[in-house]
Amino acid sequence: MSWAGKILRVNLTAGTVAVEPLNMTWAKQYLGSRGLATKYLVEEIDAKVDPLSVDNKIIWATGPLTGTMASTGGRYTVVTKGPLTGAIACSNSGGYWGAELKMAGWDMVIFEGKSAKPVYLYINDDVAELRDASALWGQSVWATEEALKKQHQDPLLRISSIGLAGENQVLYAAVVNDLHRAAGRSGVGAVMGSKNLKAIAVRGTKGVGNIANPKEFMKVTFEKKKILAENAVTGQGLPTYGTQVLMNVINEIGALPTRNHRDSQFEGAKDISAEAMATPRESDGKKQLVTNQACFGCTIACGRISKIDQTHFSVVNKPQYWGATGGLEYEAAWALGAANGVNDLEALQYANTICNEQGMDPISFGATVGAVMELYEMGVLTQEQIGIASPFGSAQALCELADLTAQGKGFGKEIALGSKRLCAKYGHPELSMSVKGQEFPAYDGRGIQGMGLTYATSNRGACHLRSYTVSSEVLGIPVKTDPLVAEGKPELVMAFQDATAAFDSAGICIFTSFAWGLADVQPQVAAACGEEFTLENLALIGERVWNMERDFNNRAGFTAADDTLPPRLLNEAVKTGPAKGLVSKLPEMLPKYYEIRGWDAGGQLKPETRAKLGL
Amino acid sequence: MQKSLHINPEKCTGCLQCEMACSYENYGVYAPAKSRIKVFDFHHTGRKVPYTCTQCDEAWCLHACPVEAITVDKATGAKVVNETTCVGCKVCTISCPFGTVNYVQETGKVQKCDLCGGDPACATACPTGAITYIDANWTGLNKMQAWADKLGNQAA
């Protein structure tokens, strides 16, 4: 119930589209979206497969709450083996596309093989066909959306596609839908590009009606929306300021990584904050922020819609960028700004816009530019090599490198490799601020100790969305813990990891967790899917999903040695602020974490753990 | 007291809870494609605008219908399509200046907003107050108050 019960299997090599029933045994064990798509992937591919080879598969998946009136029930997940990390890649996105796929009557679409020429998948309810995308190849995400809507005479078509970055196989290329919502991380867009798959265009008119207990579902989702509305974070902070509400907060606690993690506080934080976005500019008297925007079904509406300053150097003579478009979220503002020491809010908006237009993860892109700037300041990289002087703080370099990387030109081809490969190539692997090849997001693991453990153990490489202990350590949700200590963090991280896996697998947004616990999600899932989804069962599903991902990574060749942080975080103490003098206490936390996970010292699942989780 | 749906686009976030509530009320499914209220997203300006029938007093659709399938609900003032009478000729869809009555292929009839019999599901579902159901004579009250505040409520 609440699942559509059908999936599409597309063989790109053969050019065929087949319909399969959803494996309901797995749906009950892995729920949907992240969990269920990962189950399909790990069953169907060899963990050691080259992510950009024909043998990798890539799956677009919705959850049982996707396309319903549950708040934020519009999410979908793209699951594959990631080219940036070589680990499981699982990126989720909002916007409207996920709900549209579900409403067309499909839980997921599995792509296998590789097309000989560029194609897109067109879905109109029961109709699902591969079509020629030769004319779309070389086009941006925005141009692709416009062209497909025009071609199909359907302004309501929803499109999930790649831009130039995905075509060029930038290792952190994103899949973008609805112009500026992205399945952003781990290079899922590069896998799409490697298969010559340009887009999935969907129109779903059937709707979602297969709810187990519809009256109860309407009642309980209404009650839970009320909790979101009355909560200070989800009811006020996020709709008003977006995730950018965090910029000044994280800077003040001394956990805002700055200049490739050399520093942990940024003197320009206020210039790139939510408050700055909402302050009229000197140049034109207008605010950068135009309005907020919700994704499908979302009653929080944290999304930003912004307008760049038309007189800014980055957009002079480029009127295509003068309209309202996706604005800066906190992670992007940090990665494009603080991580590079750039405090020019308009430059950040420009680079962010290029990331949306051409489908590129702004976190990994921005953090890689940070590494390039450090190498430049050390004299390892020169202006001749890069093509532009690239000291920390250069807004010109940031904008230029965004263009070059998205278009696959010049030094952009090297930035496209991500910081791990780039730093190794130039003899300084220690300067890549990454775990398992994926760049850190916007929280210093020394000043927020739980995030250090979060990054080290994240199944998709460094990521904040796998266990956002910032909630507890900084915001006090659900309980306040001390960000500077290691004690209790293994338990905290594990609890967040498992709960997040359950939220993600349901098809809702993790931002609801500022106001909802798993106990608030459970009655919604139970009303939609059936009474067997008790709180205990959902918690177990979360833990099962986490361990399944881990087990895949182990089989892919990762070991305990990969659950680590760059030497800068382990050896170089924070210089200023409340965390001054601290390094990451990872060595203290990791053994305890393995123990409570039921893993051996090598990070492998113990037999009893497998037995408990049915793996 | 007759009430009207009142729409304030400035408060709309584009979440489509209203469209899902509408389709659920009328068809028992969550399907914006079947909704009688539509939210338009003008992405170049960032504006989201919900739009549906305004229940005209001298309704073009009602007058145009050759089989008198559209009648007035006396309690709510809604112009309601009687599906058993409607022949699907679509003349009402041509006559409506606002495009808010539309043909439904699956049923061979037209559909339009009927105010859910006096308790519009869209207004109940709207999380931001962009869609409200208020006294038909005073849809301008909030706007008047805002301007009165701006023009006449300065501190002495």
Side-chain angles (χ1 to χ4, degrees):
Chain A
M1 270 68 60
S2 197
W3 295 274
K6 285 189 306 177
I7 67 172
L8 284 169
R9 183 178 295 276
V10 181
N11 187 314
L12 292 163
T13 308
T16 56
V17 182
V19 178
E20 289 179 13
L22 183 70
N23 185 323
M24 288 310 296
T25 307
W26 290 352
K28 288 183 177 175
Q29 291 167 340
Y30 298 90
L31 198 53
S33 200
R34 173 178 166 184
L36 191 52
T38 305
K39 175 64 177 171
Y40 270 87
L41 188 85
V42 305
E43 291 290 337
E44 294 190 12
I45 69 165
D46 178 350
K48 293 201 184 302
V49 75
D50 172 356
L52 296 175
S53 75
V54 65
D55 296 325
N56 196 9
K57 298 189 183 187
I58 182 166
I59 304 174
W60 274 247
T62 64
L65 297 186
T66 307
T68 73
M69 277 180 83
S71 186
T72 77
R75 313 281 314 175
Y76 75 97
T77 304
V78 183
V79 176
T80 186
K81 181 175 174 179
L84 186 66
T85 56
I88 193 84
C90 168
S91 293
N92 97 30
S93 180
Y96 302 93
W97 190 90
E100 199 75 22
L101 179 70
K102 185 80 171 284
M103 287 172 179
W106 307 104
D107 291 306
M108 59 169 87
V109 186
I110 301 175
F111 290 91
E112 47 196 39
K114 176 184 176 173
S115 175
K117 56 173 190 168
V119 289
Y120 71 97
L121 181 69
Y122 175 67
I123 302 173
N124 186 345
D125 289 341
D126 292 332
V127 175
E129 297 167 357
L130 282 172
R131 302 213 175 162
D132 180 29
S134 303
L136 299 172
W137 207 252
Q139 300 288 327
S140 71
V141 165
W142 298 354
T144 299
E145 290 204 14
E146 197 180 331
L148 283 171
K149 286 177 182 182
K150 201 172 164 189
Q151 188 178 321
H152 288 278
Q153 289 190 314
D154 189 353
L156 298 176
L157 203 58
R158 304 290 188 188
I159 292 138
S160 176
S161 70
I162 51 169
L164 294 181
E167 291 182 14
N168 295 331
Q169 298 179 29
V170 172
L171 291 180
Y172 42 83
V175 170
V176 179
N177 57 285
D178 302 294
L179 301 175
H180 36 64
R181 305 310 311 182
R185 301 221 72 191
S186 311
V188 292
V191 175
M192 199 173 170
S194 76
K195 297 190 175 304
N196 272 329
L197 177 62
K198 180 66 179 176
I200 310 173
V202 189
R203 182 84 162 98
T205 70
K206 296 180 172 185
V208 175
N210 195 17
I211 302 288
N213 187 343
K215 283 209 174 101
E216 175 64 17
F217 186 74
M218 287 300 278
K219 180 173 155 278
V220 73
T221 53
F222 192 80
E223 285 167 10
K224 299 306 177 188
K225 279 179 254 192
K226 206 160 168 245
I227 294 176
L228 295 178
E230 288 166 358
N231 179 278
V233 177
T234 52
Q236 293 161 26
L238 285 173
T240 309
Y241 296 111
T243 53
Q244 271 275 60
V245 69
L246 287 165
M247 186 65 75
N248 287 323
V249 175
I250 302 298
N251 192 45
E252 274 163 32
I253 67 157
L256 188 72
T258 302
R259 287 174 285 268
N260 205 32
H261 283 65
R262 275 184 174 177
D263 301 301
S264 302
Q265 287 182 307
F266 182 37
E267 64 285 353
K270 65 177 188 320
D271 305 327
I272 60 170
S273 65
E275 292 80 355
M277 287 169 71
T279 303
R281 294 181 282 239
E282 275 182 28
S283 57
D284 61 359
K286 290 176 182 159
K287 301 167 187 172
Q288 189 182 79
L289 180 69
V290 175
T291 184
N292 65 330
Q293 172 137 15
C295 295
F296 182 93
C298 174
T299 56
I300 302 173
C302 74
R304 305 288 93 185
I305 298 296
S306 293
K307 266 191 195 175
I308 201 164
D309 178 352
Q310 294 179 15
T311 65
H312 189 259
F313 73 83
S314 60
V315 292
V316 171
N317 299 325
K318 295 181 186 171
Q320 70 269 34
Y321 299 121
W322 293 354
T325 189
L328 291 163
E329 316 284 339
Y330 171 62
E331 306 299 329
W334 164 78
L336 302 167
N340 306 314
V342 175
N343 71 337
D344 178 342
L345 187 68
E346 304 301 325
L348 269 50
Q349 174 62 19
Y350 177 76
N352 191 58
T353 299
I354 296 303
C355 285
N356 285 337
E357 185 192 25
Q358 301 299 355
M360 195 158 75
D361 171 18
I363 301 180
S364 282
F365 165 72
T368 303
V369 170
V372 167
M373 287 181 170
E374 182 159 11
L375 290 167
Y376 176 86
E377 296 219 335
M378 289 164 66
V380 177
L381 286 172
T382 64
Q383 182 173 338
E384 289 67 39
Q385 280 170 297
I386 303 171
I388 183 169
S390 303
F392 281 123
S394 172
Q396 284 80 5
L398 173 72
C399 295
E400 174 78 13
L401 293 174
D403 286 336
L404 290 176
T405 307
Q407 292 169 14
K409 291 181 181 163
F411 195 73
K413 285 183 202 155
E414 307 220 20
I415 294 177
L417 300 172
S419 66
K420 183 185 171 189
R421 290 167 178 83
L422 187 144
C423 290
K425 178 175 175 184
Y426 291 101
H428 289 275
E430 77 283 1
L431 293 184
S432 168
M433 295 300 123
S434 63
V435 173
K436 299 181 177 73
Q438 178 156 288
E439 290 73 14
F440 290 130
Y443 314 87
D444 195 313
R446 296 167 291 191
I448 308 175
Q449 290 286 334
M451 291 309 283
L453 181 61
T454 287
Y455 297 154
T457 59
S458 163
N459 288 328
R460 68 168 187 176
C463 175
H464 57 295
L465 294 172
R466 285 300 173 269
S467 66
Y468 194 70
T469 60
V470 175
S471 261
S472 167
E473 298 179 271
V474 180
L475 305 173
I477 301 167
V479 284
K480 183 77 175 80
T481 53
D482 184 347
L484 304 179
V485 305
E487 195 190 354
K489 295 302 160 60
E491 294 84 354
L492 186 73
V493 167
M494 176 170 152
F496 270 74
Q497 285 173 338
D498 292 350
T500 301
F503 273 70
D504 286 346
S505 300
I508 55 172
C509 175
I510 193 59
F511 287 1
T512 56
S513 70
F514 290 118
W516 290 351
L518 203 52
D520 293 298
V521 179
Q522 183 271 330
Q524 303 184 72
V525 174
C529 303
E531 292 304 319
E532 73 252 46
F533 291 95
T534 59
L535 189 55
E536 294 71 28
N537 192 4
L538 268 193
L540 194 68
I541 286 171
E543 190 178 357
R544 183 181 294 131
V545 170
W546 187 267
N547 280 275
M548 166 177 61
E549 293 171 342
R550 172 73 184 195
D551 199 37
F552 176 86
N553 287 349
N554 285 341
R555 284 187 283 114
F558 288 95
T559 67
D562 298 298
D563 294 341
T564 189
L565 297 169
R568 180 163 282 169
L569 270 82
L570 295 172
N571 305 325
E572 292 179 27
V574 172
K575 295 169 194 156
T576 63
K580 188 177 174 182
L582 286 185
V583 295
S584 168
K585 298 169 185 174
L586 182 67
E588 220 176 295
M589 297 184 278
L590 199 59
K592 175 75 181 172
Y593 173 82
Y594 279 14
E595 184 194 322
I596 58 175
R597 271 283 174 216
W599 299 348
D600 64 24
Q604 301 281 338
L605 280 63
K606 290 179 182 169
E608 58 264 36
T609 305
R610 287 184 191 283
K612 173 185 152 194
L613 299 171
L615 287 169
Chain B
M1 180 181 75
Q2 210 174 84
K3 288 183 167 189
S4 286
L5 275 177
H6 183 60
I7 287 170
N8 181 349
E10 278 184 33
K11 291 184 176 177
C12 179
T13 62
C15 74
L16 309 191
Q17 285 277 342
C18 57
E19 296 193 11
M20 280 190 281
C22 180
S23 63
Y24 180 77
E25 178 76 19
N26 292 298
Y27 299 97
V29 293
Y30 304 121
K34 300 180 194 301
S35 174
R36 298 164 183 186
I37 184 166
K38 291 297 305 170
V39 177
F40 293 89
D41 184 350
F42 298 94
H43 65 83
H44 289 300
T45 60
R47 272 300 179 100
K48 279 79 65 179
V49 185
Y51 203 77
T52 189
C53 174
T54 59
Q55 314 295 348
C56 313
D57 266 21
E58 290 296 330
W60 280 267
C61 61
L62 181 148
H63 290 305
C65 180
V67 294
E68 296 183 9
I70 300 176
T71 53
V72 182
D73 178 333
K74 293 232 167 47
T76 62
K79 311 302 171 293
V80 181
V81 178
N82 184 335
E83 281 213 9
T84 54
T85 316
C86 175
V87 295
C89 73
K90 313 176 196 71
V91 170
C92 58
T93 69
I94 299 165
S95 68
C96 175
F98 309 106
T100 53
V101 54
N102 284 285
Y103 180 63
V104 182
Q105 292 176 46
E106 293 77 5
T107 59
K109 315 283 179 183
V110 296
Q111 69 162 356
K112 67 178 289 298
C113 171
D114 60 3
L115 298 175
C116 297
D119 184 15
C122 55
T124 308
C126 179
T128 64
I131 306 167
T132 50
Y133 191 53
I134 59 173
D135 185 344
N137 287 11
W138 285 107
T139 53
L141 194 66
N142 282 347
K143 215 180 269 180
M144 283 170 76
Q145 186 187 29
W147 279 98
D149 183 27
K150 197 169 173 181
L151 299 174
N153 193 28
Q154 284 88 355

